[in-house]
Amino acid sequence: MEPGAPINLEHVARLARLDVEPADIGPLTEALTSILQYAQQLGALDLDNVEPLAHAADLDAVLAPDEVVDGLPMGTLEAMAPSMDGPFISVPKVLGGGSGA
Amino acid sequence: MAAAGMIQTHKQTARQAARDIAAGVRSAREVVAAALARLDALEPTLNACIDTFHEPALAQADHVDARRAAGRPLGPMAGVPIVAKDNLCLGQDTYPGRTTCASRMLEHYRSPYTATALQKMLDAGAIVIAKANLDEFAMGASGEHSAFGPTANPWDPARTPGGSSSGSAAAVAAGLVPVALGSDTGGSVRQPAAMTGLVGLKPTYGRVSRYGLVAYASSLDQVGTLTHTVADAALALTIIAGHDPLDATSAPHPIDDYAAAPGQPIAGWSVALVEPAGPVHPAVADALERAARALSASGVRVSQGHLPHTALGVAAYYLIAPAEASSNLARYDGVRYGHRAALAPGEGLQALYTRSRTEGFGPEVRKRILLGTHALQSGYHDRYYGRAQRTRRLIQNDFTALFADGIRAVLMPTTPGPAFRLGEKLADPMALYLEDAFTVGANLAGLPAIGVPMGLTPPHPSHKHTPLPIGVQLIGRPYDEAGLLALAQALEAAQGPTSPTTPTTHGNP
């Protein structure tokens, strides 16, 4: 395997929608790098003619009967939401508000 | 606080308890009350449970007793107390409790529906006394990555019971219940079973519905069972196996008569003994040898087998599983359910996502999400995830080749050694990940596997350590759980079931 490029942890954390404390960047980068270094051994394999295996189940396209079935009641779903505004789940402004968008 | 009957109860198997209840030898209330009393006595030591259900469980026991009194038919688990790993959703109808995944993210989450595997146990008459502790979102091999604190091994409370089905294993090993449901993504049923002297069954991928099992790595996750005996594993599998329209990946493949499988003739079968590539504890090597001898004595042809790519399993697994986890756990964004961070005025939607996720997820989960996100990001996908998927194909091919040669099952270790001390491997993540070296292969290849207790470590010369359980593992052909159960029964018959009366629980009620 090609030598791994150094992990840009802040970039990866942004993609993952996670904050990393400045003090944790070093140790986390080191921990992830050690795992990726361990994974470098896969680079010794000749994989050119090997089909990737995404899923071990021997299933083709699975079809369900085209029937209307009941979902969970609206009230049940609303009760799970952290914040409601009338019949709507409320979130901070996406446009024109704070650091959104 | 010891009530009469408690010791009898914790030595009981599910089959025996169900038989006794059906025959009126004991009432379901007696059995469940004894289980709850034992839970109350040992839980301060074990920390095996997240939510407990004293009153609902006793009410359900009374229903079973009333059914019996009315002469109505009873299910095969009627009155049998169980625990379910807390990543299996449990609806609010009967057991008002949470489904937390041992995470702050879902600390207050109450599932409106029940996982199919758990529902099938309820339909069979099983009674849930608790939701069991686990590594957060099933990510771990020691139970230490739980937001609710680590679980202790009943054999030695200073040690881990293994993970991620830590609470499930501890609850069965300590004799609180005869059966627990767990989940196995990379060994999370078999590894804790080995470390607590239990039978741990991971069925073929798709054999048991994953509906209501909170997703970690969807192509690897499978619901499994932890029991004292092979017969109980067979009974539990009979109940939970089968196609489920609510899980498109559950297999329409026919179900065998698993309950009849233990004791079926195995003479003439071929089993491949795969020697560990790396170092293992001497007691593990010894257990493997004794298992091979026991099978030979039952007329099984045991030959040396090779799985040349199995040594790469951990490397492939720790790219594939985090990649799938990073995608699966993207749903926890603080909007529809789960933890939502309190925002300062002016903070927007991105802050809501990021702060909610950072506050809700523990360190190991955050680490695996970051690892998976890195492995999947543009420009890295082929290097990491792609290679891991191709390696996964080679690992599956190795097993397929052995099975094509007439091999019925592979015999190998479950773990490199016995239960380690809590805290021992926390500082070195790779050491903890290598705990999975022998177990991830079955998940990557989608195969059924069963861990069977094979004795104890020899007493330590200094007498500082109590003997600890050691397990071995059989990996079978797709959907051949019946074959595995028959082979496992031969091992159990040779070994004798590991006593559920463990050093910690001995002398306790």
Side-chain angles (χ1 to χ4, degrees):
Chain A
M1 201 178 292
E2 307 82 5
I7 300 172
N8 182 344
L9 196 76
E10 285 163 291
H11 174 64
V12 173
R14 248 190 324 275
L15 294 176
R17 302 288 187 271
L18 289 170
D19 280 330
V20 180
E21 292 288 319
D24 293 337
I25 289 176
L28 253 178
T29 304
E30 200 177 310
L32 296 188
T33 302
S34 79
I35 298 163
L36 293 170
Q37 270 168 359
Y38 180 82
Q40 297 281 335
Q41 58 184 297
L42 302 185
L45 295 171
D46 178 6
L47 296 168
D48 288 348
N49 297 309
V50 181
E51 274 295 299
L53 179 63
H55 212 278
D58 51 351
L59 296 167
D60 292 328
V62 178
L63 301 176
D66 191 10
E67 291 166 3
V68 177
V69 292
D70 288 339
L72 291 168
M74 211 50 145
T76 303
L77 296 170
E78 287 176 6
M80 285 193 288
S83 175
M84 295 294 296
D85 182 357
F88 304 108
I89 293 173
S90 70
V91 293
K93 268 188 181 176
V94 178
L95 297 173
S99 59
Chain B
M1 64 196 297
M6 292 171 80
I7 291 171
Q8 284 75 13
T9 298
H10 79 85
K11 284 180 179 166
Q12 228 164 30
T13 65
R15 277 161 63 104
Q16 187 63 47
R19 263 201 303 266
D20 284 356
I21 291 165
V25 175
R26 315 180 68 205
S27 67
R29 175 170 266 271
E30 275 180 88
V31 171
V32 170
L36 289 166
R38 191 160 177 83
L39 183 156
D40 290 339
L42 296 179
E43 181 60 5
T45 307
L46 296 174
N47 194 31
C49 304
I50 290 179
D51 275 349
T52 56
F53 301 112
H54 287 70
E55 284 171 25
L58 288 170
Q60 287 305 303
D62 288 343
H63 283 307
V64 170
D65 290 332
R67 275 186 79 94
R68 187 185 171 276
R72 295 167 65 199
L74 297 179
M77 280 272 178
V80 175
I82 66 166
V83 300
K85 189 174 180 178
D86 203 24
N87 60 351
L88 285 158
C89 287
L90 180 56
Q92 304 301 303
D93 300 347
T94 308
Y95 300 99
R98 301 169 296 166
T99 298
T100 68
C101 289
S103 179
R104 295 290 170 213
M105 181 60 83
L106 293 175
E107 189 175 359
H108 305 294
Y109 178 70
R110 291 175 180 273
S111 173
Y113 61 94
T114 299
T116 297
L118 185 46
Q119 186 62 51
K120 286 181 163 190
M121 291 292 274
L122 299 181
D123 293 345
I127 292 171
V128 184
I129 66 165
K131 295 296 284 298
N133 204 352
L134 66 152
D135 285 294
E136 184 176 356
F137 283 100
M139 297 181 193
S142 67
E144 292 166 292
H145 299 306
S146 165
F148 300 99
T151 298
N153 189 324
W155 291 80
D156 177 353
R159 290 174 190 268
T160 165
S164 66
S165 305
S166 48
S168 297
V172 179
L176 310 186
V177 291
V179 182
L181 291 183
S183 67
D184 191 315
T185 304
S188 283
V189 161
R190 290 161 287 155
Q191 186 253 18
M195 291 186 167
T196 54
L198 300 177
V199 175
L201 175 63
K202 182 205 91 75
T204 311
Y205 182 83
R207 178 74 299 175
V208 178
S209 170
R210 293 184 295 113
Y211 177 74
L213 170 67
V214 178
Y216 160 23
S218 304
S219 81
L220 304 163
D221 295 339
Q222 182 63 187
V223 176
T225 60
L226 295 111
T227 57
H228 285 296
T229 64
V230 174
D232 272 0
L235 172 63
L237 181 64
T238 304
I239 292 164
I240 64 175
H243 179 250
D244 178 9
L246 297 172
D247 173 9
T249 62
S250 74
H253 202 273
I255 298 168
D256 291 320
D257 184 2
Y258 302 117
Q264 289 296 305
I266 56 173
W269 291 11
S270 295
V271 164
L273 170 64
V274 175
E275 300 278 0
V280 295
H281 190 281
V284 171
D286 175 65
L288 202 59
E289 201 182 305
R290 282 185 291 111
R293 278 206 304 272
L295 291 176
S296 294
S298 305
V300 173
R301 280 193 300 270
V302 180
S303 56
Q304 295 285 328
H306 297 286
L307 295 167
H309 298 99
T310 288
L312 299 167
V314 169
Y317 177 84
Y318 278 98
L319 293 172
I320 291 170
E324 293 189 20
S326 72
S327 172
N328 272 328
L329 273 61
R331 72 190 66 176
Y332 303 103
D333 57 8
V335 173
R336 288 158 301 152
Y337 56 91
H339 175 73
R340 177 183 283 204
L343 298 184
E347 284 190 304
L349 192 61
Q350 293 298 330
L352 175 75
Y353 293 154
T354 303
R355 294 256 310 277
S356 299
R357 290 166 61 77
T358 305
E359 291 172 10
F361 291 135
E364 180 65 20
V365 173
R366 291 202 303 269
K367 187 166 81 187
R368 293 198 195 191
I369 290 173
L370 290 168
L371 180 59
T373 304
H374 178 69
L376 287 177
Q377 69 180 306
S378 170
Y380 291 81
H381 181 282
D382 286 346
R383 182 188 297 179
Y384 293 124
Y385 189 59
R387 275 184 199 273
Q389 283 189 314
R390 289 171 208 274
T391 307
R392 183 177 185 181
R393 171 80 62 187
L394 296 178
I395 290 168
Q396 189 188 47
N397 288 351
D398 287 350
F399 283 104
T400 307
L402 281 181
F403 296 145
D405 274 350
I407 296 296
R408 188 69 184 252
V410 169
L411 173 65
M412 55 195 282
T414 313
T415 60
F420 48 92
R421 283 186 190 75
L422 289 165
E424 187 178 328
K425 299 195 178 186
L426 271 181
D428 181 359
M430 270 324 299
L432 198 53
Y433 292 175
L434 288 169
E435 272 296 306
D436 302 337
F438 303 121
T439 49
V440 292
N443 301 85
L444 291 166
L447 300 170
I450 189 165
V452 189
M454 210 64 213
L456 305 172
T457 56
H460 196 270
S462 70
H463 299 288
K464 277 185 186 161
H465 307 309
T466 52
L468 297 167
I470 295 288
V472 298
Q473 175 184 215
L474 291 156
I475 302 175
R477 300 172 178 182
Y479 306 111
D480 188 26
E481 283 83 1
L484 286 185
L485 290 162
L487 289 165
Q489 179 68 37
L491 295 181
E492 181 179 281
Q495 178 64 38
T498 305
S499 168
T501 311
T502 58
T504 301
T505 56
H506 192 73
N508 278 325

